Amino acid sequence: MSSQRIHTLDVTAQNLKSNARLSLKDQQLRTNMRSAMDSLISKRLISMPDEDERENLRELGNKIKASALSQLPDLLEQLESNLTKQGIQVHWASTTEEANAIVLNIAQARNAKQVIKGKSMVSEEMAMNEHLTEHGIEALESDMGEYIIQLDNEKPTHIIMPAIHKNAQQVGKLFESRLALPYTDDVDSLIQSARSILREKFFQADIGISGVNFAVAETGTLLLVENEGNGRMSTTVPPVHIAVTGIEKVVANLQDTVPLLSLLTRSALGQGITTYVNMISAPRQPDELDGPEEVHLVLLDNGRSQAFADSELRQTLNCIRCGACMNHCPVYTRIGGQAYGTVYPGPIGKIISPHLLGLENTPDHPSASSLCGACGEVCPVKIPIPALLRRLREENVKSPKQQPQIMAGQGSRYSNKEALLWKGWQAFNTKPLLYKTGTFLATRLGQFTPSKLGAWTQNHSAPKPAKRSLHELAKKHLEKKS
Amino acid sequence: MSAREKILASLRQSLEGTQPLADPFDASLVDKPWRYCPAERVTRLKELMTAVHSEVHLTRSAEWPQLLHELLTQRQINRLLTAPSTTHGQAFSAYCQIQDSSLKLLAYDRPIEEWKRELFDDVPASFTGTLAGIAATGTLVVQPSPAEPRLMSLVPPLHIALLKASQIYDNLYQAQQAWPRPMPSNLLLISGPSKTADIEQVLAYGAHGPKDLIVLLVEDA
Amino acid sequence: MSHLYYNAAPQETRVAKPRKAPRSYPTHKPAHIYLYGTCVVDLFFPEAGMDAIHLLEREGIQVNFPQAQSCCGQPAYTSGYTQQAKDVARSQLALLTEDWPLVVCSGSCAGMFREHYSDLFKDEPETLAQVTALAERTYELSEFLLKVCQVELTDQGEATQVALHTSCSARREMNTHLHARELLNQLTQVERLDHDHESECCGFGGTFSVRMPDISGAMVADKTQALQKSGAQQVVSADCGCLLNINGAFEKQNIPLLGQHLASFLWQRTQVKQEPNT
Ligand code: SF4
């Protein structure tokens, strides 16, 4: 089985199709994913039993995020000014390179050797670990799931549960080989082993890195949500805390976090609240005895302003990263997170990655969906994910030269041949004579349908057209009647 | 152009000719479904916190020091981190004195840098107050302070918190209305001991923070 | 706020479409309807279209079948060829000149008329008004039979067990699964069996099934197995796209089941068996 496991290095976003083919063969992965997703689905539903309560809250969540986006630049400035007043240093980065340079600068100024990380998907976007390591700084993940996959040299397969694709036996073997611990598949023992190793790392770390779930402009507050306590450790024990986040995470008021928090934790894990909600508004004050002396916030764009520029695609930025769309996605459930080759997998990954990486690097992401709508139905901030996927397909098959250019990599799946095919389809369906002739021939020659019809016959027997079309049958029938 | 200017300019350009949407906040949606009568608040908080592996003891203002002492003795814990400058810290230390207890009370009275090793390795339990409780989610609101710093509720394997029943709010929205403004440098919601389900979704307690959380819920306060 | 969704200034930040109130239905059966066969029914399941006609005629409704109808435009629309979809949609709109209800034999195509034409024509106020009115009188067949015709079916068949698959868009856009279940419930000798992950997609998704054959294949394989494991003797669906997918996979996998369109199933079950000599 492990021979089929896809390692980070082999996976790229351009190869979604072949990655998926490989993942689909991994029966262990299929079983692990299916049972994990089934359980997350039912937990969510149990925590949101009242349809009215749930749907009203989703509508509110959507409006709060939309309202924040409708004044995003103002809120960002308000956030910056409040944080600065309170002693938190704010940095802006257009690209992941810039963000990495900011983090490295802070680290080098402190002569830092070890960095401990709470969970942060934006730091994954930046490939921050690799960047710091290149500069001789150890970057260690402390979220249990992240720690496990870092040990195995993988990338997260789920934004909330990074190691969801592994079972306890697999983790036990990993700890045995990487940490020289006696093999066990007892989850408690595994967690306790990791706890004691990581405690020492928290103790030693020069810098703690975290993400941000909501940044509150009104009060200048960074709100972080977690269960393990590693987020609190990372943001409290080391003398320096650097939070990295996307520019879309800002909300106007503290009270806005009430519905969003409830939506986030229930959609993600079926929890009414997480064990910890950590609200940070300032570094250690003169009379305080702990907490970081320095707190930094790095605001990252990385393609978000491109999504923002189009009001339909802007809705992508409502996302509060709950992961519910992936939990409910029949494609994600089957291929797992790594096949996407992107930091964000699943439906949200398919709509956000093209902005982060360009369509040319994610050419199959918009197409890898049956548009079944399961994601849009559960998204707590009501992102119309299927509609956005469809829209991205449109951008993907446009001529690369067509103006205005909405997205980097526009037309990455443009093909003259395919465009012609659809023009033919259009003619066929708008010219009744053509349609009639076509269906006449198909029905009369149906027996000659080749048994191999490209991709279709990979999963199906060749379809045989009926002997008479409905047009003919209906005509005969209705004429007879009148 | 700096990254800041570039980002803000691009966002502003994308919003050209539009108005901010009105503030859509609707308190009734986050408040109404989560309201309880006073007795329910206590039972709900207890039920929810117990469900996530916390111990909640209903007690009274005259009795909690004794209860706390007993709980520690039962667990054979002989060192406790307390805040001597707080009223609850004083009450407990007074109780220990009268009882001539062998329990050693530690104080977080130096910057973390001066006793980090000891805090990490030699403090089995801590005792703090709370700012409030939240019935809807089974949550403690904890405001770290110079007397009770941030790590006090995080590093020791056992965290014991004192909560007054009168301080339990129905829901987060109501609790939030009473929070100090400006926001303190750190404010925490704690809803159980630390936990993880990162391996196969099997729940394991004591991930990175406390393995156990005990709430002394003072009913007559 | 609903007006903001489509008619807002192009740069206005969007809020989600508001939740739809439950649909209200006309209290009288109409004298006339348009039947929309859909391209897949036309070529692969014409008998389903004919059985739909029989069911509707039995309700005393005059069925009109515009001979120039072809396709609702969905394949191009979901593939990102919006302009081609729009042209085809326009040609179909031109056929539906009377304000008769439009009854569609396939759930996802009904959804195209009801939910997505307004997106296609959002920039053409006149056409938009026309498609909005059309959406109001567009029905998926089982919905129309149940809610508008209020059919009462008398089961004439042998006892049997069926599994029902509902297309995702029909389920989410029109509650077709509930309508189909109610219709099946009227058949006294028919027991409906649940299948594993019933609400999950069968993997068709139009061009998805040929663009991503591996993923689509894994989905349909799970679906066919779940249907088989349900123990049902028959599989029914109100969506021919799904049926094309599921039946093709049944055959490829040598599973001795064949999905039938709900219309055919209902019609056959409610036919009084003629004695040979009467
Ligand atoms: S798109 Fe919606 S469902 Fe998916 S992660 Fe974001 S908020 Fe959650």
Side-chain angles (χ1 to χ4, degrees), chain A residues 159 319-326 348 375 378-381 383 385:
Chain A
I159 60 172
C319 178
I320 56 173
R321 304 282 188 268
C322 72
C325 55
M326 33 195 101
I348 178 60
C375 48
V378 296
C379 174
V381 284
I383 301 175
I385 302 173

Side-chain angles (χ1 to χ4, degrees), chain A residues 174-186:
Chain A
L174 180 67
F175 279 22
E176 186 182 24
S177 70
R178 287 301 172 98
L179 303 172
L181 292 170
Y183 173 83
T184 172
D185 56 17
D186 175 62

Side-chain angles (χ1 to χ4, degrees), chain C residues 143-164:
Chain C
E143 177 184 33
F144 188 77
L145 288 172
L146 184 77
K147 300 288 187 177
V148 182
C149 301
Q150 305 196 2
V151 287
E152 282 169 27
L153 302 169
T154 313
D155 197 357
Q156 309 286 350
E158 310 272 300
T160 187
Q161 294 169 311
V162 301
L164 172 69

